[in-house]
Structures are given as C-alpha cells and as structure tokens.
Amino acid sequence: MPSRDSDTHLSIPAAHWYRSLAAAGLHNPEVHGPARYWLQVEGSFTRALQRRCRRRFHVDVRYQGFDFPTPEEARRLRQPPRRYAWIREVRLCGDGEPWVLARTVIPLGCLEGPNRVLLNLGSRPLGAYLFSDPHWHRGPLETGVCRLESPAHPRLARRSLFHNGADALLVSEYLLPTLYQSSPNPDL
Ligand SMILES: C=C(O[C@@H]1C=C(C(=O)O)C=C[C@H]1O)C(=O)O
C-alpha cells in the first residue's frame, strides 16, 4: 500500500488479511508470540496503549484528506472502486516512540450529521470518539501479515470495521516491533 511517509520503516506496508489469528499464524507464527496480546486486545486500542505508557501517549497525524481507498479496502467496505473517502494515517506513540501505524478509511456516508467531527479530529485519537458514541459498534478483528521490508518494519497488523447503522469505516493498525518486543503485556 502506498504511504505518504518518507521514513520507510514507518510507512504502511502491504498486508494479507486473515479472519482468524490461527489462519494468520500459518503464514507467520510470530502471531502466537508477544504480539498476540496486541493483536487481540479488546476495547479501545488507544486505551490499551495508554495503559502501556509510562509517561505520555500521543497521536502524530501523518496524512489526512480525501483520496481513493485501495481496491482491497473498497471491497472490504463494500464500496464501489474509486469512490473518494476520508483517509487518515497516524502514528500512535508511547513515551515519545512510534508503536503503531494506523490507517483509517472513512467513506463519505459516515461523514454526515454529528459524524462530520471525524474530519476535524486532529491529534485527538479516533478511538476516543468511536468508543464514546453508542451508535458505533466494532466488527470482528482480522489479523494482517505484512510484506516484510526491514526488521524495524511492521510485520503484523489488525483491523476491523466499525459500524454505525448501514455505514462502516475501516481501521487498520500495524504493530511496530518496539511495541511488543520490550514488554509484551501492559499488565506485566
Ligand atoms: C480505533 C481506535 O482508534 C485508534 C486511533 C486512531 C487515530 O487516531 O487515527 C487510529 C487507530 C486506532 O488504534 C481505538 O482506539 O481502538
């Protein structure tokens, strides 16, 4: 997937998506290692990362604007190809270090009424909005196996649709190895 980031190991990689962790594990057994906690953690991912921080959590917005989703994203969202969506790419950083790269595709239908606020999130985490509004419901998590580009590059990812009535947006989170290689579980 093309990414706007010039820092190559911090750019969003191409990934294959699997409906279950077990299916992804056949392609990369690393899903059963320390990353597993992060691939499966329920509730807001932002909250889980904040619990892992010693000092400060912040969202570093790398890109946001209207653009075309990839063909695979459009299929997952059941959108016709080449229809504009609001696309947001961020780094989720803990204690000053990037831990996760996230890409969110928000079809135009999700941006009506009060959800127009999604256009102006800035560095406020998307999860804080989605999990505070009872109209949004998360669908099942998928596990992504990324194309390997360098040792510091994300190798594993997770994504899910968030539904609001007939509308849905797609949130994909790519784990940087620094997140799970030092301390796999925030409760440890
Ligand atoms: C969906 C969530 O929101 C997080 C915040 C994001 C953002 O601000 O763009 C992107 C991905 C998420 O990990 C969450 O916290 O679960």
Side-chain angles (χ1 to χ4, degrees), residues 2-163:
S3 176
R4 286 115 183 134
D5 240 303
S6 49
D7 234 340
T8 50
H9 75 283
L10 294 176
S11 62
I12 291 179
H16 267 99
W17 296 97
Y18 299 92
R19 291 291 164 98
S20 72
L21 195 88
L26 298 175
H27 301 271
N28 186 345
E30 216 186 340
V31 303
H32 301 295
R36 186 186 176 110
Y37 171 83
W38 296 104
L39 292 170
Q40 294 196 304
V41 68
E42 294 287 342
S44 166
F45 200 56
T46 304
R47 289 292 304 138
L49 292 168
Q50 285 168 335
R51 285 203 304 275
R52 161 86 155 77
C53 279
R54 291 208 169 78
R55 297 187 306 281
R56 175 171 172 256
F57 172 84
H58 78 278
V59 176
D60 178 14
V61 179
R62 309 304 297 181
Y63 171 81
Q64 50 187 355
F66 288 105
D67 207 340
F68 296 129
T70 66
E72 198 275 333
E73 288 170 336
R75 276 196 300 279
R76 189 71 192 87
L77 284 159
R78 297 180 194 274
Q79 291 280 308
R82 296 187 76 72
R83 179 171 290 186
Y84 277 109
W86 183 253
I87 297 191
R88 171 174 161 94
E89 290 186 1
V90 303
R91 297 175 184 173
L92 305 176
C93 303
D95 299 332
E97 219 185 341
W99 281 347
V100 174
L101 312 179
R103 174 175 158 99
T104 302
V105 180
I106 308 178
L108 300 187
C110 294
L111 292 168
E112 282 160 17
N115 290 325
R116 289 230 295 277
V117 67
L118 292 171
L119 294 168
N120 298 308
L121 281 178
S123 59
R124 280 169 297 161
L126 172 69
Y129 180 74
L130 295 178
F131 285 94
S132 66
D133 180 334
H135 297 103
W136 288 99
H137 303 281
R138 183 158 73 189
L141 277 171
E142 293 173 73
T143 306
V145 174
C146 307
R147 192 169 62 206
L148 190 56
E149 293 180 14
S150 85
H153 213 260
R155 299 193 285 275
L156 300 170
R158 46 179 267 159
R159 77 174 179 183
S160 51
L161 292 170
F162 284 79
H163 302 274

